[in-house]
Amino acid sequence: MKFLAITLIVHRPDPVTGVRKPTHDRFREVLDNAVLAEQLGFDGFGVGERHERPFLSSAPTVVLSHIAALTRRIRLFTAVTTLSLLDPVRAYEDYATLDHLAEGRLDLIIGKGNGTAQRELFQVTPENQWDRNAESYDVFRRIWRQDRITADTRFRPPLKDAEVWPRPYQRPVRVWHGSATSKESVDLAARHGDPLFSANVTHPVEPYAELIDHYRERWEHYGHDPARIAIGAGSAGLLVARTSQEAVETYRPVFEANLAFQKESGLPVVFETVEDFVDRSSALIGSPQQIVDKVHRYHARFGHSVLHVHADAGGLPESVHRDSLERFQSEVAPALRHALPDPPFPWEPVDPVP
């Protein structure tokens, strides 16, 4: 199994202290976390893309390019690239350039994106967002594979025998499809034989498991080899402590502050207590053995070979969060790497092109 550390670059007051860091400091924190993730042995580091409050992740290619310059081994992920909002030609130019600068360490996770404000910012409607996502991905993947492209597009000017530069380093780049609530993203991934990444954050396991089951069904429907399926899954929180009691009590103030924020914002509440959150959500909060056991339970339902954890402290003291990441890599990850399979493809650059 492979492990990623992910950030959406949320920029709101600390849920416990109420203090919000300056924007510059928040970006520096992301860079420091990426370097730490490589030092600790994580396999990948992901940066989200959101174009609305309270996120600072509107330019993931810029952030990932800086991370590429600071690191040497770790793979760089988008989490997710919102292709429904983007011109696929411009997106290709940015990501192909980034992949060259990162020497082929780029993986993309794409999705239609969430959030009314960012949809309105780009004048995308709920009625056409899925069609935009599918069209943009078709153009994006063809540009990555073809030196010239002709496409009669609906949502951007048509392309006729067009060249787009630079030509790729990886041919092609690996693209995962982010899946949260809808079968459309699952079907798009299966149709193209691409890996799936389940959000697996907001709800208990079952709705995500149902989408993964549907993905497997559609994968076979489209005639792909079941042995080539690759699935990733997220997690709703991380705190690895010496004992379960220590983990729960340390995390309790964070959970209660987040719960208050959800209620004040009118957001739906799924887990009313920290004990319920630890028990029924995908959060990895507990002793090392408890977390190993929980990942095994989720793997039995998902069959996933990649797992992401939070790169950010998210309200925990920085020293506690760092200790948790270190304990995860020293006591949790080795057991899971030994017992659970890796994805069915190399983790290194794919067919680098001069």
Side-chain angles (χ1 to χ4, degrees), residues 239-249 285-288 290 327:
L239 179 53
V240 191
R242 290 171 296 176
T243 67
S244 60
Q245 295 84 357
E246 178 185 340
V248 170
E249 291 310 311
I285 298 170
S287 68
Q290 283 179 307
R327 188 171 279 117

Side-chain angles (χ1 to χ4, degrees), residues 71-117:
T71 59
R72 292 292 177 266
R73 175 195 56 80
I74 200 167
R75 289 198 70 81
L76 308 177
F77 279 72
T78 63
V80 301
T81 295
T82 53
L83 273 183
S84 68
L85 308 180
L86 306 178
D87 181 330
V89 175
R90 191 70 185 94
Y92 166 82
E93 292 172 335
D94 284 345
Y95 282 111
T97 300
L98 168 58
D99 197 40
H100 276 280
L101 297 176
E103 297 185 336
R105 289 187 283 143
L106 177 66
D107 273 54
L108 293 174
I109 307 175
I110 69 159
K112 73 169 181 60
N114 295 311
T116 300

Side-chain angles (χ1 to χ4, degrees), residues 15 24 51 191 202 213 269 292 295 302 304 311 335:
H24 176 79
H51 300 269
R191 187 189 321 162
T202 307
D213 289 344
V269 174
V292 168
V295 174
F302 292 170
H304 59 307

